[in-house]
Structure formats: C-alpha cells, structure tokens
Amino acid sequence: AATPTSIKSVFIPSGIYKVGKLALPVGSRVYGEGGKSVTTAYSNTRLVQNADDDMFTFKAFQNGSLWYWFGEVSDIQIIGSNAYTNGYGFHTKDTLGNNVNFQDQTLFENITIRAMPLGGMHFTSGAFPATVRNCEFLWNGGPGITLTRIAVYNGVNLDSISGDGNVGGLIKMVNWNVTDNVLITNLKSEMRVNNTYGGGAAQQQNPIVVNNCKDCAITIVGANHISSVPDGAFFEKPGSLVQLTGPNYPQITWNGVIIRVRATDTGSDP
C-alpha cells in the first residue's frame, strides 16, 4: 500500500516465479537477490513470463490529464518466452491503459531482461528524470529500451547498459524534441544472431536507433560496439553506433566511442 508520500519495500527472495502481470503501486521499491546472471549456478530472483502480456505495469496517480509514477526496481531477472506474442519486461502503462510518466528519480538497477516478445522496457510517454543503470538486455523480440515521447519531456540517464542481439537495436528513441535529453554512459553492445526472434538472423546491428527526434540532446560518453555474427570462418562487420531515421534529427555529442572491426570481418563498412 505505497502512496506518493510513503515508499514501501517489497523483497522477492531468490527463486523461480511464474508471473502473469505485476502492477507496481506508486512509491514502491521492489528488489530481489541478483539480476545479472541467467545461469542456474547462482542464487537469484527470476521472474518467468507465464501470460501473453507485459511483466510489469504501473499503478500511477493522476494529476490533471497526466499519470505519474515514481519508485525503484532492482536485482531481478525477467525471462520471456516466444510461446507468447505480446509483452515487455516493463511497460509504462497503468492498469487502465493510460501512458505513465516517470518522475522523482525513478530508478531501475541491476536487472536482466531476456527473450521478452516485444522488448525489454518501453517508456511510452516521458521521464523527468529516470535512470536505468547496470541493466542487461539479451535476445529480446524488440529493442532493449524504447523511449517514446508523447506528452512529457524526457530526461533519461542510461548508465552501464549492455545488450546482445535485440531486434531493432539496444536503445531506440522515437519522436523526441528540443526539450528532451538523454545521457548514455559506458554502453556495451554486441551484434549477434537471435535464434529466439528474428528468424535466426543478425540483430542489433545498430545499438542506438533514433527515429524522428528533432533537436533533442544526445550525449554519449564511452560506448563499445562489436559483432559476433559468423560469416563462414569470419564474422560480419558491426553496424554504425547510431542510426538516424525519419525527417528530423537530434544534436549528438560523443566521446570515447569504439567500433571493433577486424581485418577479417566481411560486409560493407559501417
């Protein structure tokens, strides 16, 4: 029974839990025991998709025409299934389907999301601010993180994000504008074959995909993108770090970006 003025903590011990949908009350802190390993050799909290739906949505509070949520989620694993066709790990919708805006230093930390049908996280409206830190996205059926602007400006910090083989990229930004900003630090991306989704083809060619974002500020400090997609005895070259699509473009500042291309890599230059 969390409220906007009362943080309530919920601890989920290590174990494997079959989950349909969990709606998080505003002001809640949900945490488990370890979210970075998907092997059975470690004690951890693992939530396994058990319905054709999102794993987490949010019980937000309404202020005027908008809905807001703040809180923390940390130290859990979310494991999807291609037996289903729907579902994100986290989807910023409330129980009535309204788009939810994050605020007041909302934090997602030490989380692994693997093989969810539609992707890892979808921020459907805005955030001011929100942080996703030390999280891993593996072989999801959509981007690891999708950040869509509808109503509220975005201020998002993505720190130490890593991901392999997500369909459509590791981070996708849609319809941002001049009032929005994102800071991406210490990004690790790997272009890999996704045998769960995408027909076994190479996925996550471009870690950061920016669609129709007019003059928003994107700052990238430290990023590493490589390819592990076999091409006979060699590997395919990785794609570009940032792919721009749509009629409008952002303002991008970057430092310390590394794209690993080996002499034996095949395909056109990124």
Side-chain angles (χ1 to χ4, degrees):
T3 70
T5 59
S6 175
I7 295 289
K8 299 294 184 182
S9 294
V10 177
F11 171 58
I12 308 175
S14 62
I16 299 174
Y17 302 84
K18 292 184 176 181
V19 175
K21 178 189 286 189
L22 298 175
L24 300 182
V26 64
S28 58
R29 174 177 180 255
V30 178
Y31 64 103
E33 289 186 291
K36 291 299 290 180
S37 173
V38 293
T39 70
T40 58
Y42 298 89
S43 175
N44 48 51
T45 300
R46 188 176 306 178
L47 308 182
V48 179
Q49 186 181 18
N50 197 40
D52 199 32
D53 211 335
D54 304 312
M55 297 283 274
F56 283 95
T57 56
F58 301 86
K59 292 183 178 178
F61 69 92
Q62 185 176 2
N63 185 357
S65 61
L66 300 176
W67 284 260
Y68 298 94
W69 189 90
F70 67 87
E72 298 181 11
V73 183
S74 65
D75 297 291
I76 61 173
Q77 299 171 23
I78 296 174
I79 311 298
S81 171
N82 63 358
Y84 303 110
T85 58
N86 293 303
Y88 293 94
F90 292 87
H91 198 186
T92 56
K93 297 280 189 177
D94 70 3
T95 52
L96 299 177
N98 298 301
N99 292 308
V100 173
N101 308 289
F102 288 138
Q103 65 168 15
D104 293 340
Q105 301 289 354
T106 290
L107 175 64
F108 300 91
E109 186 172 34
N110 299 331
I111 297 170
T112 294
I113 304 179
R114 178 180 182 135
M116 286 299 297
L118 298 183
M121 297 180 174
H122 189 187
F123 292 13
T124 58
S125 186
F128 54 140
T131 295
V132 182
R133 182 167 61 209
N134 198 31
C135 291
E136 186 175 38
F137 302 89
L138 302 171
W139 297 288
N140 291 288
I145 305 172
T146 300
L147 305 166
T148 302
R149 187 190 201 279
I150 295 177
V152 176
Y153 63 83
N154 278 291
V156 180
N157 177 20
L158 304 177
D159 178 26
S160 299
I161 302 300
S162 66
D164 298 356
N166 296 284
V167 176
L170 179 53
I171 299 168
K172 184 175 182 179
M173 302 167 56
V174 182
N175 294 338
W176 286 34
N177 68 27
V178 69
T179 63
D180 304 322
N181 68 87
V182 60
L183 171 61
I184 301 171
T185 54
N186 194 30
L187 182 73
K188 179 268 178 184
S189 168
E190 192 163 351
M191 173 178 152
R192 297 188 67 176
V193 171
N194 187 329
N195 290 313
T196 305
Y197 304 98
Q203 300 296 335
Q204 201 172 298
Q205 293 94 335
N206 308 104
I208 303 171
V209 178
V210 182
N211 181 30
N212 192 37
C213 293
K214 182 176 175 58
D215 294 328
C216 72
I218 301 174
T219 303
I220 304 168
V221 181
N224 192 308
H225 180 47
I226 65 176
S227 170
S228 297
V229 177
D231 186 5
F234 304 113
F235 294 92
E236 294 183 14
K237 287 185 178 180
S240 303
L241 182 77
V242 180
Q243 179 186 35
L244 301 178
T245 63
N248 296 303
Y249 300 104
Q251 303 292 326
I252 305 176
T253 303
W254 68 88
N255 182 48
V257 170
I258 301 170
I259 308 293
R260 188 181 73 178
V261 181
R262 294 153 291 201
T264 56
D265 285 353
T266 65
S268 60
D269 288 334

